Amino acid sequence: MILMGHLGRGWRGGWTALVWLAAVCLVLTDGRRSRQPRCPVGCTCTKDNALCENVRNVPHAFPSDVVSLSFVKSGFNEITGASFVHTPNLQLLLFTANSLDLIDEDAFVGLPHLEYLFIENNRIASISPFAFRGLKALLHLSLAYNNLETLPKDVFKGMEALTKVDLRGNNLICDCKLKWLVEWMHHTNATLDQIYCSGPPIHQGKKINDLLPHSFDCITTEFASYQLLRFESISVEAFTFGNEQYVVFAQPFAGKCNFLEWDHVEMTFRTYDAIESTSTVVCKPLVIDNQLFIIVAQLFGGSHIYKRDSSANKFIKIQDIDILRIRKPNDIETFVIDGESFFVIADSSKAGSTTVYKWNGIGFYSHQSLHPCSQRPVVYQWNRSQKKFDRRTDIPDMEDVFSIKHFRVKGELFICLTRYIGDSKVMRWDGAMFKEVQTFPSRGSMVFQPVSVGKWQYAILGSDFSLTQVYQWDTKRGQFVPSQELSIQAPRGFSVVSVDNWVFLLASSFKGKTQIYEHLMIDLSD
């Protein structure tokens, strides 16, 4: 028993020694773990600074007292994400004379104390929008003398402490992609050195510091396909009646005027009603004193006028148009002069006569016959005392014009003249005659139509042989410039309709599907 007791005490001492040895080992192990990292190969470290030269990548370990880190003539070309998470104490980081060309997303994440970041004399051409995310303490950022032409929008977002940004020595293109920088410069407390724009031509050589947000015209437009209507049509007209929006298509093959109404729930155009007709050329709406009239021009069977009977909820024919006057109609225009309503039917036959009709409160009567078929377009001017049109002049050297449509820009009157074989033209009225402004090759064109949407003026040149060309008016040039191409088979007419904050372009097609396009405004600064 005594022997066993001594043995027990001896083992207890042994356990104590073992515990003590284990503690020593733990201390030694912890000492090894807490040992300061050595200065990486290729770098020179002093008390609080490290300089790396000709390294192939960013080292992952530096002494903990290093707060300033520089890279010179390094062999890597990209600052990748989370490159410095192992050096959270850095206050200054410098890259100079390296071959860098890209700064990646979250490149400097994990540097909460960084105050100075210099990336100078490199080849930086691209920066991720989130390259500087997390640098909330940064005071000074320099990207001087790189190959930057632009900067991603809001790349400085969240860097509220910034007091200095240096972008000198880059070839910044001061276009819409850089509009955000101009806006930011006018709201930030940070200062920027003088920077000169290398383009575009409108801003080339200017100081970006002198530009204002309104110096940029960044809103562009386009027509995007919205709805396809599975029928052919030769004309299209939009109109408002009873506070609702409608469109009417002339369908010569189906033999009807096809009416569609806007569906405010489905946001599409749906079938509303129809007027049966024969070889329909034009279905022209005319609203007078809250009454809806439809002038239906036909190649055969004469032309007629219909009225919408609200009580019966249908169209009824109220009048025939003299078939001896109108033999081969090809267009109808409506207009109001001194509060009186008129329409004119253009007749293209040699025996017929283009005729003006006037509303007398009961019906429409022939008010004036204009010239018979002519090889040249003829200009008439309204005589207020006689209440008729007087022949003013003709347009020389414009034989075989198929149609003429007018538009205004800043009070000036222009016309678009459509020719099927010759060149279509835009002409401007100078007070005495129309003079040519612009010429458009138009083989196979039967419609050259101006349409306006808000402040934008377009001219759309349709063709049976090629894509439809959309031109947009350039105020500075005083001409139309190419804007877009649309694929429409044998287009014959266009009309614009605005409803529920949408704007649509309706395009009739003589040999294919009628199409509806949405007018979109695109902010290039986004």
Side-chain angles (χ1 to χ4, degrees), residues 124-166:
I124 301 293
S126 179
I127 298 177
S128 165
F130 303 107
F132 306 121
R133 184 159 51 186
L135 296 182
K136 295 183 179 180
L138 196 70
L139 299 174
H140 190 127
L141 171 64
S142 177
L143 296 168
Y145 302 99
N146 281 286
N147 294 335
L148 291 169
E149 293 186 349
T150 191
L151 290 168
K153 186 175 183 180
D154 297 333
V155 71
F156 304 141
K157 187 175 182 179
M159 303 167 70
E160 305 301 334
L162 272 179
T163 59
K164 175 77 171 180
V165 176
D166 190 351

Side-chain angles (χ1 to χ4, degrees), residues 247-396:
V247 294
V248 56
F249 296 91
Q251 294 182 246
F253 303 124
K256 64 180 178 180
C257 296
N258 187 13
F259 294 83
L260 305 182
E261 65 178 343
W262 175 250
D263 187 322
H264 298 276
V265 177
E266 297 295 330
M267 298 296 182
T268 57
F269 288 93
R270 65 186 181 190
T271 299
Y272 172 67
D273 205 344
I275 295 175
E276 300 300 323
S277 58
T278 304
S279 60
T280 319
V281 176
V282 182
C283 304
K284 191 77 173 183
L286 177 58
V287 178
I288 305 174
D289 298 330
N290 296 320
Q291 300 178 87
L292 173 61
F293 300 93
I294 304 295
I295 305 134
V296 181
Q298 303 180 146
L299 288 180
F300 306 103
S303 299
H304 314 282
I305 301 174
Y306 290 79
K307 178 182 176 182
R308 184 69 180 177
D309 188 328
S310 299
S311 59
N313 199 30
K314 65 179 183 180
F315 289 100
I316 57 173
K317 186 167 69 172
I318 63 167
Q319 188 176 340
D320 295 325
I321 295 176
D322 189 352
I323 194 171
L324 295 178
R325 293 179 181 272
I326 307 300
R327 294 173 178 261
K328 192 178 179 181
N330 72 338
D331 197 10
I332 300 175
E333 294 292 341
T334 61
F335 54 94
V336 176
I337 299 178
D338 296 332
E340 295 187 296
S341 298
F342 300 82
F343 71 84
V344 57
I345 299 185
D347 191 285
S348 59
S349 69
K350 293 182 179 179
S353 177
T354 293
T355 306
V356 178
Y357 289 83
K358 180 181 178 182
W359 171 252
N360 65 4
I362 300 174
F364 295 90
Y365 68 93
S366 175
H367 179 73
Q368 183 181 1
S369 291
L370 303 180
H371 70 287
C373 181
S374 170
Q375 290 296 312
R376 293 179 177 178
V378 180
V379 179
Y380 285 81
Q381 185 174 18
W382 181 255
N383 186 319
R384 290 188 179 276
S385 61
Q386 299 289 328
K387 292 190 175 182
K388 288 190 175 183
F389 287 100
D390 293 333
R391 180 166 176 156
R392 180 72 179 266
T393 184
D394 62 6
I395 302 177

Side-chain angles (χ1 to χ4, degrees), residues 384-508:
R384 290 188 179 276
S385 61
Q386 299 289 328
K387 292 190 175 182
K388 288 190 175 183
F389 287 100
D390 293 333
R391 180 166 176 156
R392 180 72 179 266
T393 184
D394 62 6
I395 302 177
D397 303 320
M398 283 300 294
E399 287 75 17
D400 300 321
V401 170
F402 181 77
S403 68
I404 302 174
K405 301 290 182 181
H406 78 279
F407 66 97
R408 291 183 179 273
V409 175
K410 293 185 176 181
E412 290 193 297
L413 178 63
F414 297 82
I415 54 174
C416 291
L417 300 98
T418 309
R419 300 171 82 186
Y420 189 76
I421 297 299
D423 292 335
S424 294
K425 295 181 184 292
V426 171
M427 308 187 83
R428 182 179 63 85
W429 179 253
D430 68 356
M433 61 185 299
F434 281 103
K435 291 187 175 180
E436 182 179 317
V437 173
Q438 202 169 357
T439 298
F440 301 82
S442 56
R443 308 297 181 261
S445 296
M446 297 188 72
V447 56
F448 185 31
Q449 188 165 336
V451 298
S452 60
V453 179
K455 67 176 184 178
W456 293 280
Q457 179 65 54
Y458 302 94
I460 308 176
L461 182 64
S463 174
D464 287 6
F465 304 147
S466 61
L467 293 173
T468 292
Q469 303 295 322
V470 180
Y471 298 92
Q472 186 172 337
W473 183 260
D474 187 318
T475 304
K476 294 179 180 178
R477 298 183 187 181
Q479 289 188 334
F480 284 106
V481 295
S483 174
Q484 189 179 357
E485 293 182 332
L486 302 175
S487 180
I488 307 169
Q489 287 184 272
R492 292 295 183 268
F494 302 94
S495 185
V496 169
V497 55
S498 300
V499 59
D500 289 347
N501 297 318
W502 299 64
V503 179
F504 298 104
L505 174 71
L506 305 130
S508 66

